[in-house]
Amino acid sequence: MSQINEQILPPRINLPSLEKNVLELRALKDFFLTGLVWGLAILASIPLVSVIYMLIMEGGARLDFEAITALPPAGFETGGGFGNAIVGTLTMVGIASALSIPIGTMAALYLAILNPNSKTATVSRFLAKVLTGFPSILAGVFVYAVIVITTGTYSAWAGGVALAVLMLPTVTLAAEEAMKQVPQRMKDAAFGMGCTRTQVIFKVVLPTALPGIMTGVILAVAGAAGESAPLLFTALFSNYYMSELAEPTASLSILIYNFSGMPFENQIELAWTASLALVLLVLFFNIVARVVGRTKFKE
Amino acid sequence: MVHDPFKDSASGKTLSAPPSPSDYMKDSVFRSFAYLCALSIILLLAYIVFELGSQALPAIKEHGLGFITGTTWDTNQNEFGVLPEIWGTLYSSLLALLIGGGLGVAIAIFLTQGFMHAKIEVMFRTIIELLAAIPSVVYGLWGIYVLIPLIRPAAHWLHETFGWFPLFSTDLSGPGLAPAALVLAIMILPTVAAISADAFRRIPYKVKEAAYGMGATKWEVILKVMLPTASSGILAGLVLGFGRALGETMALAMLIGNVNDISVSLFAPANTLASLLASTFPEAGEIEIQALMYASLVLLLITFVVNVAGLAVQQYTMRKFEGKK
């Protein structure tokens, strides 16, 4: 027994030590770089913490019933709020959703299920990706040229359409991604039962992909709610509650933009409060999207 | 009655009935509608280009290419040039890319290379995602009342001490390039981090194992194996982040100062194409609007080229790793 052991002992050659030496240059470099990325990650989190801290400290005190219902104050007035801006933002996001969600979902169906490799689908998918990086202010310029000039007035319609232009590619790509996750064998099984393509889509693909589609849609809505550049010269702003859709309409983001540059303490305070309200709204959508996404279909 | 295989199977009737003519009809109507919706994205972009182009046509005819090289924007003398804006757009975006891109790649490494417990990783990932969720206009407000006062003493010191160096040749009097670029960096960081992290995740696990098996340390693996392998994906992230920075509007309009000067100084006020549109458009007259339409066409062209380049690199990366997992 011992003889065999002796035989398979390794030959005596000069092997470097295989044990990790903490003081070796390589190990020190490792240690230093690990510390560096930790530092950078914490550095990158500072802006978020600072933004949220400022929103709560500067805006939290004023976030009461008056702020979310009253009309914006003029010049030297005290008090006031941004009730009309909340209504305006929600209305325009509603219009944008009503336009972009059906079109986006249908386009996604075509891209993901009906004809994924056709020329139209390839070009459309690529342009949708290009459009997600589209400067949001250009949506405003475009809608100004198409709607504001034609109708002769700034309106909630124009603002909603501008937001819809921005939401459409996001909704399409997210919905396509969700529909692609539906396993092929589920579709095959339905086809095997004699379903038409439309039936497969409505009874199998859409119900299965629904949580994923919802997540994408809600995130697009959150993004649209925070947008301001496309509303600047489509919806403009208004100091009153909206009475119809075809008139200039207030929005939270434009109110923040307008008030941030004003020399009045009251307005600046309100800009912070409106920012807090806007961030809460956006975060609310984000959290809902996360909760919905958690039930996402997994194979 | 519409043939419904689901109902039939529940009632135990036969499944073998073929789709009725009305089913075929509905199917083809539905599919052509979906086709139209997919087509609408292409038509939308074409219409945007057409509409901006036709609105800008009078300005294009009048100013020609001199619009791009001109340096004054004067409505009274009907003189329009956007060179300072193009310069400001590219300069601020490049600065943002330097800061935000570097940070973004570092964070992508941090999130994907197993530096921490999964729960802390989720926390950091959420922070980065929320960074992208904060509206631009809120960053602008934060920049005015937090960032500018914060960096002003440092900017003042840099100007006093290194004033001979072109980058610090002016003092930061309030809004300027430095705060604008910093906020831009924060805004593009999530884009760069998300796309780069995706590139890291696409690398087959055996590549990493092979490197560890040869006795490489964690950072040798990251720097010599993972980074080069993910490089094209990271490049895509950087280019797309750059594209985002080019088109960013509100925060810049609030922070950059909107002054049509060409200056290399980090603390001088400047202007970008997008913030020119935001600040001038609402009060512009007809002639100026035509010029602004021309400016938006220039912005569209720049961002289109950058985005297409970024997407091309990204698709190349995706193909590279397809089927190698």
PDB file of all heavy atoms in Angstrom, chain A residues 26 30 34 50 106 110 124 133 144 198-199 203 228 260 268 275 290, chain B residues 3-4 27 33 35 38 129 141-142 145 215 217 219-220 250 289 307:
ATOM      1  N   ARG A  26      -0.800  41.166  -7.415  1.00  0.00           N
ATOM      2  CA  ARG A  26      -2.063  40.834  -8.076  1.00  0.00           C
ATOM      3  C   ARG A  26      -3.223  40.893  -7.098  1.00  0.00           C
ATOM      4  O   ARG A  26      -4.307  41.389  -7.410  1.00  0.00           O
ATOM      5  CB  ARG A  26      -1.999  39.430  -8.666  1.00  0.00           C
ATOM      6  CG  ARG A  26      -0.997  39.283  -9.780  1.00  0.00           C
ATOM      7  CD  ARG A  26      -0.763  37.828 -10.061  1.00  0.00           C
ATOM      8  NE  ARG A  26      -1.933  37.186 -10.639  1.00  0.00           N
ATOM      9  CZ  ARG A  26      -2.190  35.886 -10.554  1.00  0.00           C
ATOM     10  NH1 ARG A  26      -1.370  35.100  -9.899  1.00  0.00           N
ATOM     11  NH2 ARG A  26      -3.255  35.381 -11.106  1.00  0.00           N
ATOM     12  N   ASP A  30      -6.434  43.479  -7.010  1.00  0.00           N
ATOM     13  CA  ASP A  30      -7.796  42.975  -6.911  1.00  0.00           C
ATOM     14  C   ASP A  30      -8.572  43.695  -5.816  1.00  0.00           C
ATOM     15  O   ASP A  30      -9.697  44.160  -6.021  1.00  0.00           O
ATOM     16  CB  ASP A  30      -7.744  41.481  -6.553  1.00  0.00           C
ATOM     17  CG  ASP A  30      -8.520  40.661  -7.528  1.00  0.00           C
ATOM     18  OD1 ASP A  30      -8.401  40.949  -8.729  1.00  0.00           O
ATOM     19  OD2 ASP A  30      -9.249  39.760  -7.092  1.00  0.00           O
ATOM     20  N   THR A  34     -11.761  46.251  -6.371  1.00  0.00           N
ATOM     21  CA  THR A  34     -13.054  45.933  -5.765  1.00  0.00           C
ATOM     22  C   THR A  34     -13.551  47.108  -4.938  1.00  0.00           C
ATOM     23  O   THR A  34     -14.715  47.510  -5.033  1.00  0.00           O
ATOM     24  CB  THR A  34     -12.939  44.673  -4.891  1.00  0.00           C
ATOM     25  OG1 THR A  34     -12.425  43.628  -5.694  1.00  0.00           O
ATOM     26  CG2 THR A  34     -14.277  44.279  -4.323  1.00  0.00           C
ATOM     27  N   SER A  50     -29.998  62.104  -2.931  1.00  0.00           N
ATOM     28  CA  SER A  50     -30.071  63.555  -2.770  1.00  0.00           C
ATOM     29  C   SER A  50     -31.371  64.111  -3.350  1.00  0.00           C
ATOM     30  O   SER A  50     -32.030  64.947  -2.716  1.00  0.00           O
ATOM     31  CB  SER A  50     -28.868  64.196  -3.455  1.00  0.00           C
ATOM     32  OG  SER A  50     -29.046  65.579  -3.538  1.00  0.00           O
ATOM     33  N   MET A 106     -51.078  45.860 -31.144  1.00  0.00           N
ATOM     34  CA  MET A 106     -51.348  45.226 -32.435  1.00  0.00           C
ATOM     35  C   MET A 106     -50.069  45.121 -33.266  1.00  0.00           C
ATOM     36  O   MET A 106     -49.795  44.077 -33.881  1.00  0.00           O
ATOM     37  CB  MET A 106     -52.387  46.036 -33.216  1.00  0.00           C
ATOM     38  CG  MET A 106     -53.794  45.943 -32.688  1.00  0.00           C
ATOM     39  SD  MET A 106     -54.439  44.269 -32.791  1.00  0.00           S
ATOM     40  CE  MET A 106     -54.883  44.216 -34.510  1.00  0.00           C
ATOM     41  N   TYR A 110     -48.010  41.695 -34.696  1.00  0.00           N
ATOM     42  CA  TYR A 110     -47.485  41.456 -36.036  1.00  0.00           C
ATOM     43  C   TYR A 110     -45.995  41.117 -35.965  1.00  0.00           C
ATOM     44  O   TYR A 110     -45.539  40.172 -36.613  1.00  0.00           O
ATOM     45  CB  TYR A 110     -47.712  42.688 -36.913  1.00  0.00           C
ATOM     46  CG  TYR A 110     -47.379  42.442 -38.357  1.00  0.00           C
ATOM     47  CD1 TYR A 110     -48.273  41.800 -39.187  1.00  0.00           C
ATOM     48  CD2 TYR A 110     -46.151  42.837 -38.874  1.00  0.00           C
ATOM     49  CE1 TYR A 110     -47.966  41.549 -40.500  1.00  0.00           C
ATOM     50  CE2 TYR A 110     -45.833  42.586 -40.196  1.00  0.00           C
ATOM     51  CZ  TYR A 110     -46.745  41.944 -41.004  1.00  0.00           C
ATOM     52  OH  TYR A 110     -46.431  41.691 -42.304  1.00  0.00           O
ATOM     53  N   SER A 124     -39.873  47.783 -39.284  1.00  0.00           N
ATOM     54  CA  SER A 124     -40.689  48.398 -38.243  1.00  0.00           C
ATOM     55  C   SER A 124     -40.037  48.238 -36.870  1.00  0.00           C
ATOM     56  O   SER A 124     -39.998  49.167 -36.071  1.00  0.00           O
ATOM     57  CB  SER A 124     -42.063  47.741 -38.283  1.00  0.00           C
ATOM     58  OG  SER A 124     -42.862  48.230 -37.286  1.00  0.00           O
ATOM     59  N   GLY A 133     -34.957  56.199 -28.974  1.00  0.00           N
ATOM     60  CA  GLY A 133     -33.906  57.154 -28.674  1.00  0.00           C
ATOM     61  C   GLY A 133     -34.156  58.526 -29.284  1.00  0.00           C
ATOM     62  O   GLY A 133     -33.283  59.366 -29.320  1.00  0.00           O
ATOM     63  N   TYR A 144     -46.654  70.037 -33.047  1.00  0.00           N
ATOM     64  CA  TYR A 144     -46.940  71.455 -33.262  1.00  0.00           C
ATOM     65  C   TYR A 144     -47.243  71.704 -34.738  1.00  0.00           C
ATOM     66  O   TYR A 144     -48.235  72.343 -35.083  1.00  0.00           O
ATOM     67  CB  TYR A 144     -45.751  72.299 -32.803  1.00  0.00           C
ATOM     68  CG  TYR A 144     -45.919  73.771 -33.076  1.00  0.00           C
ATOM     69  CD1 TYR A 144     -46.568  74.586 -32.156  1.00  0.00           C
ATOM     70  CD2 TYR A 144     -45.453  74.340 -34.255  1.00  0.00           C
ATOM     71  CE1 TYR A 144     -46.745  75.932 -32.411  1.00  0.00           C
ATOM     72  CE2 TYR A 144     -45.625  75.687 -34.524  1.00  0.00           C
ATOM     73  CZ  TYR A 144     -46.277  76.484 -33.597  1.00  0.00           C
ATOM     74  OH  TYR A 144     -46.454  77.808 -33.851  1.00  0.00           O
ATOM     75  N   THR A 198     -56.059  34.034 -35.350  1.00  0.00           N
ATOM     76  CA  THR A 198     -56.689  35.021 -34.480  1.00  0.00           C
ATOM     77  C   THR A 198     -57.086  34.393 -33.153  1.00  0.00           C
ATOM     78  O   THR A 198     -56.902  34.970 -32.085  1.00  0.00           O
ATOM     79  CB  THR A 198     -57.931  35.600 -35.176  1.00  0.00           C
ATOM     80  OG1 THR A 198     -57.567  35.943 -36.497  1.00  0.00           O
ATOM     81  CG2 THR A 198     -58.432  36.813 -34.453  1.00  0.00           C
ATOM     82  N   GLN A 199     -57.638  33.162 -33.235  1.00  0.00           N
ATOM     83  CA  GLN A 199     -58.037  32.501 -31.994  1.00  0.00           C
ATOM     84  C   GLN A 199     -56.833  32.176 -31.128  1.00  0.00           C
ATOM     85  O   GLN A 199     -56.867  32.349 -29.907  1.00  0.00           O
ATOM     86  CB  GLN A 199     -58.829  31.233 -32.320  1.00  0.00           C
ATOM     87  CG  GLN A 199     -60.245  31.540 -32.725  1.00  0.00           C
ATOM     88  CD  GLN A 199     -60.951  30.320 -33.294  1.00  0.00           C
ATOM     89  OE1 GLN A 199     -60.325  29.454 -33.887  1.00  0.00           O
ATOM     90  NE2 GLN A 199     -62.249  30.274 -33.115  1.00  0.00           N
ATOM     91  N   LYS A 203     -56.776  33.580 -27.404  1.00  0.00           N
ATOM     92  CA  LYS A 203     -57.001  32.604 -26.328  1.00  0.00           C
ATOM     93  C   LYS A 203     -55.706  32.124 -25.703  1.00  0.00           C
ATOM     94  O   LYS A 203     -55.708  31.624 -24.588  1.00  0.00           O
ATOM     95  CB  LYS A 203     -57.760  31.387 -26.885  1.00  0.00           C
ATOM     96  CG  LYS A 203     -58.998  31.759 -27.643  1.00  0.00           C
ATOM     97  CD  LYS A 203     -60.232  31.388 -26.871  1.00  0.00           C
ATOM     98  CE  LYS A 203     -61.328  32.319 -27.253  1.00  0.00           C
ATOM     99  NZ  LYS A 203     -62.640  31.806 -27.268  1.00  0.00           N
ATOM    100  N   SER A 228     -41.793  66.431 -20.245  1.00  0.00           N
ATOM    101  CA  SER A 228     -42.215  67.821 -20.320  1.00  0.00           C
ATOM    102  C   SER A 228     -41.913  68.433 -21.674  1.00  0.00           C
ATOM    103  O   SER A 228     -42.703  69.214 -22.187  1.00  0.00           O
ATOM    104  CB  SER A 228     -41.538  68.636 -19.215  1.00  0.00           C
ATOM    105  OG  SER A 228     -40.285  68.100 -18.911  1.00  0.00           O
ATOM    106  N   SER A 260     -39.703  76.991 -11.649  1.00  0.00           N
ATOM    107  CA  SER A 260     -38.330  76.852 -11.152  1.00  0.00           C
ATOM    108  C   SER A 260     -37.512  78.109 -11.403  1.00  0.00           C
ATOM    109  O   SER A 260     -36.594  78.414 -10.657  1.00  0.00           O
ATOM    110  CB  SER A 260     -37.658  75.656 -11.822  1.00  0.00           C
ATOM    111  OG  SER A 260     -37.461  75.948 -13.195  1.00  0.00           O
ATOM    112  N   ILE A 268     -41.228  78.726  -6.009  1.00  0.00           N
ATOM    113  CA  ILE A 268     -40.154  77.741  -5.965  1.00  0.00           C
ATOM    114  C   ILE A 268     -40.528  76.602  -5.022  1.00  0.00           C
ATOM    115  O   ILE A 268     -40.328  75.421  -5.330  1.00  0.00           O
ATOM    116  CB  ILE A 268     -38.834  78.419  -5.560  1.00  0.00           C
ATOM    117  CG1 ILE A 268     -38.397  79.345  -6.694  1.00  0.00           C
ATOM    118  CG2 ILE A 268     -37.752  77.396  -5.285  1.00  0.00           C
ATOM    119  CD1 ILE A 268     -37.257  80.245  -6.363  1.00  0.00           C
ATOM    120  N   SER A 275     -42.831  68.660  -7.915  1.00  0.00           N
ATOM    121  CA  SER A 275     -41.863  67.626  -8.272  1.00  0.00           C
ATOM    122  C   SER A 275     -42.094  66.376  -7.432  1.00  0.00           C
ATOM    123  O   SER A 275     -42.045  65.248  -7.936  1.00  0.00           O
ATOM    124  CB  SER A 275     -40.437  68.107  -8.035  1.00  0.00           C
ATOM    125  OG  SER A 275     -40.162  69.210  -8.818  1.00  0.00           O
ATOM    126  N   ARG A 290     -43.631  46.698 -11.420  1.00  0.00           N
ATOM    127  CA  ARG A 290     -42.823  45.649 -10.816  1.00  0.00           C
ATOM    128  C   ARG A 290     -43.684  44.533 -10.245  1.00  0.00           C
ATOM    129  O   ARG A 290     -43.383  43.355 -10.386  1.00  0.00           O
ATOM    130  CB  ARG A 290     -41.990  46.236  -9.673  1.00  0.00           C
ATOM    131  CG  ARG A 290     -40.606  46.575 -10.063  1.00  0.00           C
ATOM    132  CD  ARG A 290     -40.065  47.601  -9.106  1.00  0.00           C
ATOM    133  NE  ARG A 290     -39.329  48.591  -9.864  1.00  0.00           N
ATOM    134  CZ  ARG A 290     -38.065  48.421 -10.215  1.00  0.00           C
ATOM    135  NH1 ARG A 290     -37.422  47.355  -9.840  1.00  0.00           N
ATOM    136  NH2 ARG A 290     -37.457  49.335 -10.924  1.00  0.00           N
TER     137      ARG A 290
ATOM    138  N   HIS B   3     -67.167  29.088 -34.693  1.00  0.00           N
ATOM    139  CA  HIS B   3     -66.578  27.835 -34.236  1.00  0.00           C
ATOM    140  C   HIS B   3     -65.518  28.125 -33.172  1.00  0.00           C
ATOM    141  O   HIS B   3     -64.602  28.906 -33.380  1.00  0.00           O
ATOM    142  CB  HIS B   3     -65.944  27.122 -35.423  1.00  0.00           C
ATOM    143  CG  HIS B   3     -65.059  26.008 -35.012  1.00  0.00           C
ATOM    144  ND1 HIS B   3     -65.552  24.863 -34.411  1.00  0.00           N
ATOM    145  CD2 HIS B   3     -63.716  25.850 -35.082  1.00  0.00           C
ATOM    146  CE1 HIS B   3     -64.545  24.048 -34.152  1.00  0.00           C
ATOM    147  NE2 HIS B   3     -63.423  24.635 -34.542  1.00  0.00           N
ATOM    148  N   ASP B   4     -65.673  27.509 -32.005  1.00  0.00           N
ATOM    149  CA  ASP B   4     -64.728  27.763 -30.924  1.00  0.00           C
ATOM    150  C   ASP B   4     -64.232  26.424 -30.365  1.00  0.00           C
ATOM    151  O   ASP B   4     -64.947  25.751 -29.632  1.00  0.00           O
ATOM    152  CB  ASP B   4     -65.406  28.574 -29.817  1.00  0.00           C
ATOM    153  CG  ASP B   4     -64.425  28.928 -28.720  1.00  0.00           C
ATOM    154  OD1 ASP B   4     -63.365  28.281 -28.646  1.00  0.00           O
ATOM    155  OD2 ASP B   4     -64.730  29.852 -27.946  1.00  0.00           O
ATOM    156  N   ASP B  27     -60.175  36.404 -39.327  1.00  0.00           N
ATOM    157  CA  ASP B  27     -58.735  36.197 -39.216  1.00  0.00           C
ATOM    158  C   ASP B  27     -57.981  37.141 -40.146  1.00  0.00           C
ATOM    159  O   ASP B  27     -57.033  37.805 -39.729  1.00  0.00           O
ATOM    160  CB  ASP B  27     -58.413  34.737 -39.544  1.00  0.00           C
ATOM    161  CG  ASP B  27     -56.972  34.404 -39.225  1.00  0.00           C
ATOM    162  OD1 ASP B  27     -56.532  34.764 -38.109  1.00  0.00           O
ATOM    163  OD2 ASP B  27     -56.296  33.803 -40.068  1.00  0.00           O
ATOM    164  N   PHE B  33     -55.223  44.337 -40.015  1.00  0.00           N
ATOM    165  CA  PHE B  33     -55.193  45.455 -39.065  1.00  0.00           C
ATOM    166  C   PHE B  33     -53.858  45.480 -38.317  1.00  0.00           C
ATOM    167  O   PHE B  33     -53.234  46.535 -38.157  1.00  0.00           O
ATOM    168  CB  PHE B  33     -56.368  45.336 -38.083  1.00  0.00           C
ATOM    169  CG  PHE B  33     -56.450  46.493 -37.136  1.00  0.00           C
ATOM    170  CD1 PHE B  33     -56.564  47.792 -37.613  1.00  0.00           C
ATOM    171  CD2 PHE B  33     -56.409  46.290 -35.769  1.00  0.00           C
ATOM    172  CE1 PHE B  33     -56.637  48.862 -36.739  1.00  0.00           C
ATOM    173  CE2 PHE B  33     -56.472  47.362 -34.885  1.00  0.00           C
ATOM    174  CZ  PHE B  33     -56.583  48.643 -35.387  1.00  0.00           C
ATOM    175  N   TYR B  35     -51.121  44.318 -39.384  1.00  0.00           N
ATOM    176  CA  TYR B  35     -50.105  44.727 -40.352  1.00  0.00           C
ATOM    177  C   TYR B  35     -50.067  46.250 -40.464  1.00  0.00           C
ATOM    178  O   TYR B  35     -48.998  46.866 -40.464  1.00  0.00           O
ATOM    179  CB  TYR B  35     -50.417  44.093 -41.712  1.00  0.00           C
ATOM    180  CG  TYR B  35     -49.521  44.545 -42.818  1.00  0.00           C
ATOM    181  CD1 TYR B  35     -48.210  44.093 -42.893  1.00  0.00           C
ATOM    182  CD2 TYR B  35     -49.977  45.435 -43.791  1.00  0.00           C
ATOM    183  CE1 TYR B  35     -47.376  44.508 -43.903  1.00  0.00           C
ATOM    184  CE2 TYR B  35     -49.145  45.853 -44.812  1.00  0.00           C
ATOM    185  CZ  TYR B  35     -47.841  45.387 -44.859  1.00  0.00           C
ATOM    186  OH  TYR B  35     -47.013  45.808 -45.864  1.00  0.00           O
ATOM    187  N   ALA B  38     -48.272  47.734 -37.518  1.00  0.00           N
ATOM    188  CA  ALA B  38     -46.817  47.615 -37.630  1.00  0.00           C
ATOM    189  C   ALA B  38     -46.293  48.616 -38.649  1.00  0.00           C
ATOM    190  O   ALA B  38     -45.254  49.237 -38.457  1.00  0.00           O
ATOM    191  CB  ALA B  38     -46.444  46.192 -38.040  1.00  0.00           C
ATOM    192  N   GLU B 129     -32.245  51.763 -11.740  1.00  0.00           N
ATOM    193  CA  GLU B 129     -33.459  51.857 -12.557  1.00  0.00           C
ATOM    194  C   GLU B 129     -34.285  53.089 -12.168  1.00  0.00           C
ATOM    195  O   GLU B 129     -34.866  53.752 -13.017  1.00  0.00           O
ATOM    196  CB  GLU B 129     -34.300  50.588 -12.411  1.00  0.00           C
ATOM    197  CG  GLU B 129     -33.779  49.454 -13.289  1.00  0.00           C
ATOM    198  CD  GLU B 129     -34.416  48.127 -12.950  1.00  0.00           C
ATOM    199  OE1 GLU B 129     -35.456  48.124 -12.263  1.00  0.00           O
ATOM    200  OE2 GLU B 129     -33.865  47.096 -13.359  1.00  0.00           O
ATOM    201  N   LEU B 141     -34.579  70.970 -11.766  1.00  0.00           N
ATOM    202  CA  LEU B 141     -34.836  71.698 -10.512  1.00  0.00           C
ATOM    203  C   LEU B 141     -33.752  71.388  -9.490  1.00  0.00           C
ATOM    204  O   LEU B 141     -33.212  72.281  -8.830  1.00  0.00           O
ATOM    205  CB  LEU B 141     -36.211  71.284  -9.980  1.00  0.00           C
ATOM    206  CG  LEU B 141     -36.761  72.070  -8.805  1.00  0.00           C
ATOM    207  CD1 LEU B 141     -37.142  73.458  -9.251  1.00  0.00           C
ATOM    208  CD2 LEU B 141     -37.977  71.378  -8.217  1.00  0.00           C
ATOM    209  N   TRP B 142     -33.413  70.111  -9.379  1.00  0.00           N
ATOM    210  CA  TRP B 142     -32.385  69.672  -8.437  1.00  0.00           C
ATOM    211  C   TRP B 142     -31.036  70.309  -8.812  1.00  0.00           C
ATOM    212  O   TRP B 142     -30.282  70.754  -7.959  1.00  0.00           O
ATOM    213  CB  TRP B 142     -32.308  68.148  -8.473  1.00  0.00           C
ATOM    214  CG  TRP B 142     -31.264  67.548  -7.607  1.00  0.00           C
ATOM    215  CD1 TRP B 142     -31.323  67.368  -6.260  1.00  0.00           C
ATOM    216  CD2 TRP B 142     -29.997  67.008  -8.023  1.00  0.00           C
ATOM    217  NE1 TRP B 142     -30.180  66.759  -5.816  1.00  0.00           N
ATOM    218  CE2 TRP B 142     -29.347  66.526  -6.876  1.00  0.00           C
ATOM    219  CE3 TRP B 142     -29.367  66.886  -9.263  1.00  0.00           C
ATOM    220  CZ2 TRP B 142     -28.093  65.929  -6.915  1.00  0.00           C
ATOM    221  CZ3 TRP B 142     -28.113  66.296  -9.302  1.00  0.00           C
ATOM    222  CH2 TRP B 142     -27.486  65.823  -8.144  1.00  0.00           C
ATOM    223  N   TYR B 145     -30.970  74.092  -7.715  1.00  0.00           N
ATOM    224  CA  TYR B 145     -30.936  74.440  -6.289  1.00  0.00           C
ATOM    225  C   TYR B 145     -29.985  73.584  -5.463  1.00  0.00           C
ATOM    226  O   TYR B 145     -29.721  73.898  -4.309  1.00  0.00           O
ATOM    227  CB  TYR B 145     -32.348  74.388  -5.702  1.00  0.00           C
ATOM    228  CG  TYR B 145     -33.211  75.460  -6.301  1.00  0.00           C
ATOM    229  CD1 TYR B 145     -34.156  75.179  -7.269  1.00  0.00           C
ATOM    230  CD2 TYR B 145     -33.029  76.790  -5.922  1.00  0.00           C
ATOM    231  CE1 TYR B 145     -34.914  76.176  -7.854  1.00  0.00           C
ATOM    232  CE2 TYR B 145     -33.775  77.806  -6.498  1.00  0.00           C
ATOM    233  CZ  TYR B 145     -34.720  77.490  -7.467  1.00  0.00           C
ATOM    234  OH  TYR B 145     -35.450  78.489  -8.042  1.00  0.00           O
ATOM    235  N   GLY B 215      -6.107  30.153 -13.130  1.00  0.00           N
ATOM    236  CA  GLY B 215      -5.515  30.803 -11.971  1.00  0.00           C
ATOM    237  C   GLY B 215      -5.584  32.314 -11.999  1.00  0.00           C
ATOM    238  O   GLY B 215      -4.889  32.978 -11.243  1.00  0.00           O
ATOM    239  N   THR B 217      -6.958  36.017 -11.199  1.00  0.00           N
ATOM    240  CA  THR B 217      -7.725  36.595 -10.101  1.00  0.00           C
ATOM    241  C   THR B 217      -9.011  37.169 -10.668  1.00  0.00           C
ATOM    242  O   THR B 217      -9.173  37.295 -11.884  1.00  0.00           O
ATOM    243  CB  THR B 217      -6.952  37.736  -9.410  1.00  0.00           C
ATOM    244  OG1 THR B 217      -6.768  38.785 -10.357  1.00  0.00           O
ATOM    245  CG2 THR B 217      -5.608  37.245  -8.909  1.00  0.00           C
ATOM    246  N   TRP B 219     -10.190  40.160 -10.840  1.00  0.00           N
ATOM    247  CA  TRP B 219     -10.076  41.337 -11.691  1.00  0.00           C
ATOM    248  C   TRP B 219      -9.293  41.068 -12.957  1.00  0.00           C
ATOM    249  O   TRP B 219      -9.489  41.732 -13.964  1.00  0.00           O
ATOM    250  CB  TRP B 219      -9.490  42.519 -10.915  1.00  0.00           C
ATOM    251  CG  TRP B 219     -10.578  43.225 -10.213  1.00  0.00           C
ATOM    252  CD1 TRP B 219     -10.976  43.021  -8.921  1.00  0.00           C
ATOM    253  CD2 TRP B 219     -11.482  44.180 -10.761  1.00  0.00           C
ATOM    254  NE1 TRP B 219     -12.055  43.805  -8.637  1.00  0.00           N
ATOM    255  CE2 TRP B 219     -12.390  44.535  -9.744  1.00  0.00           C
ATOM    256  CE3 TRP B 219     -11.610  44.779 -12.021  1.00  0.00           C
ATOM    257  CZ2 TRP B 219     -13.417  45.455  -9.948  1.00  0.00           C
ATOM    258  CZ3 TRP B 219     -12.627  45.704 -12.217  1.00  0.00           C
ATOM    259  CH2 TRP B 219     -13.520  46.033 -11.189  1.00  0.00           C
ATOM    260  N   GLU B 220      -8.402  40.095 -12.893  1.00  0.00           N
ATOM    261  CA  GLU B 220      -7.749  39.711 -14.149  1.00  0.00           C
ATOM    262  C   GLU B 220      -8.782  39.127 -15.103  1.00  0.00           C
ATOM    263  O   GLU B 220      -8.762  39.385 -16.305  1.00  0.00           O
ATOM    264  CB  GLU B 220      -6.629  38.704 -13.877  1.00  0.00           C
ATOM    265  CG  GLU B 220      -5.354  39.389 -13.385  1.00  0.00           C
ATOM    266  CD  GLU B 220      -4.350  38.406 -12.811  1.00  0.00           C
ATOM    267  OE1 GLU B 220      -4.687  37.226 -12.612  1.00  0.00           O
ATOM    268  OE2 GLU B 220      -3.224  38.835 -12.555  1.00  0.00           O
ATOM    269  N   MET B 250     -35.098  69.106 -21.189  1.00  0.00           N
ATOM    270  CA  MET B 250     -35.541  69.993 -20.118  1.00  0.00           C
ATOM    271  C   MET B 250     -34.432  70.334 -19.130  1.00  0.00           C
ATOM    272  O   MET B 250     -34.212  71.490 -18.812  1.00  0.00           O
ATOM    273  CB  MET B 250     -36.723  69.372 -19.378  1.00  0.00           C
ATOM    274  CG  MET B 250     -37.944  69.234 -20.218  1.00  0.00           C
ATOM    275  SD  MET B 250     -38.314  70.673 -21.189  1.00  0.00           S
ATOM    276  CE  MET B 250     -39.098  71.696 -19.966  1.00  0.00           C
ATOM    277  N   ILE B 289     -39.824  80.340 -36.475  1.00  0.00           N
ATOM    278  CA  ILE B 289     -40.269  78.954 -36.357  1.00  0.00           C
ATOM    279  C   ILE B 289     -39.737  78.121 -37.511  1.00  0.00           C
ATOM    280  O   ILE B 289     -39.304  76.979 -37.322  1.00  0.00           O
ATOM    281  CB  ILE B 289     -41.811  78.892 -36.261  1.00  0.00           C
ATOM    282  CG1 ILE B 289     -42.217  79.219 -34.840  1.00  0.00           C
ATOM    283  CG2 ILE B 289     -42.331  77.513 -36.660  1.00  0.00           C
ATOM    284  CD1 ILE B 289     -43.633  78.974 -34.502  1.00  0.00           C
ATOM    285  N   ASN B 307     -28.032  56.960 -33.182  1.00  0.00           N
ATOM    286  CA  ASN B 307     -28.833  55.831 -32.715  1.00  0.00           C
ATOM    287  C   ASN B 307     -28.712  54.629 -33.636  1.00  0.00           C
ATOM    288  O   ASN B 307     -28.620  53.488 -33.168  1.00  0.00           O
ATOM    289  CB  ASN B 307     -30.304  56.232 -32.599  1.00  0.00           C
ATOM    290  CG  ASN B 307     -30.596  56.877 -31.272  1.00  0.00           C
ATOM    291  OD1 ASN B 307     -30.118  56.405 -30.248  1.00  0.00           O
ATOM    292  ND2 ASN B 307     -31.342  57.952 -31.281  1.00  0.00           N
TER     293      ASN B 307
END
